[in-house]
Amino acid sequence: MEFIKNQTGESWWNKEGLHKGTRLLEDLRIDGDDAVDFFTEFGEHFKTDLSNLDLRKFFNGEGFNPLEGVLNFIKGKKKLPLKSITIEHLNKVIESKQWFDP
């Protein structure tokens, strides 16, 4: 959890502190380019293979593209809900030394 505290800091909106059920996107507000930076550092720090990690399943892209939303609406494509990553899952990834989806 020290790694996460160092990467994110504890903010006023996270009064409960960090625990195994803390979610990166929903609770810590890690998203977009911040998620890319977080996992780059995570992989290096814990010497973990993240080659199977598809950040698009868990985080939004950086910026807003209204054209993409209109085209998806016309084509009838719906955005799939994002999956959550918890601190507990990150601990399991560290133990296994490679990424696997929760």
Side-chain angles (χ1 to χ4, degrees), residues 14-60:
N14 191 3
K15 294 177 182 165
E16 293 179 22
L18 299 174
H19 53 85
K20 67 181 184 178
T22 300
R23 301 165 299 175
L24 298 185
L25 174 64
E26 298 89 340
D27 301 323
L28 299 178
R29 308 288 191 256
I30 297 173
D31 203 9
D33 288 346
D34 292 338
V36 174
D37 295 341
F38 177 88
F39 278 99
T40 299
E41 292 294 322
F42 180 87
E44 291 173 6
H45 183 81
F46 294 106
K47 297 179 181 18
T48 303
D49 177 12
L50 302 177
S51 60
N52 292 328
L53 173 59
D54 182 356
L55 291 174
R56 296 172 297 179
K57 293 180 181 178
F58 307 98
F59 304 99
N60 297 297

Side-chain angles (χ1 to χ4, degrees), residues 1-99:
M1 292 214 211
E2 265 323 291
F3 173 81
I4 293 173
K5 286 181 184 178
N6 290 335
Q7 290 295 312
T8 63
E10 291 209 49
S11 300
W12 59 268
W13 44 261
N14 191 3
K15 294 177 182 165
E16 293 179 22
L18 299 174
H19 53 85
K20 67 181 184 178
T22 300
R23 301 165 299 175
L24 298 185
L25 174 64
E26 298 89 340
D27 301 323
L28 299 178
R29 308 288 191 256
I30 297 173
D31 203 9
D33 288 346
D34 292 338
V36 174
D37 295 341
F38 177 88
F39 278 99
T40 299
E41 292 294 322
F42 180 87
E44 291 173 6
H45 183 81
F46 294 106
K47 297 179 181 18
T48 303
D49 177 12
L50 302 177
S51 60
N52 292 328
L53 173 59
D54 182 356
L55 291 174
R56 296 172 297 179
K57 293 180 181 178
F58 307 98
F59 304 99
N60 297 297
E62 196 67 30
F64 173 69
N65 183 351
L67 182 59
E68 181 181 3
V70 171
L71 290 174
N72 285 340
F73 177 76
I74 292 170
K75 293 178 182 178
K77 290 185 181 179
K78 293 183 181 179
K79 184 177 179 185
L80 296 175
L82 298 173
K83 297 178 183 179
S84 296
I85 298 173
T86 62
I87 290 176
E88 181 177 32
H89 183 70
L90 292 179
N91 287 331
K92 292 176 183 177
V93 169
I94 292 167
E95 289 173 10
S96 72
K97 294 291 184 194
Q98 63 183 357
W99 179 261

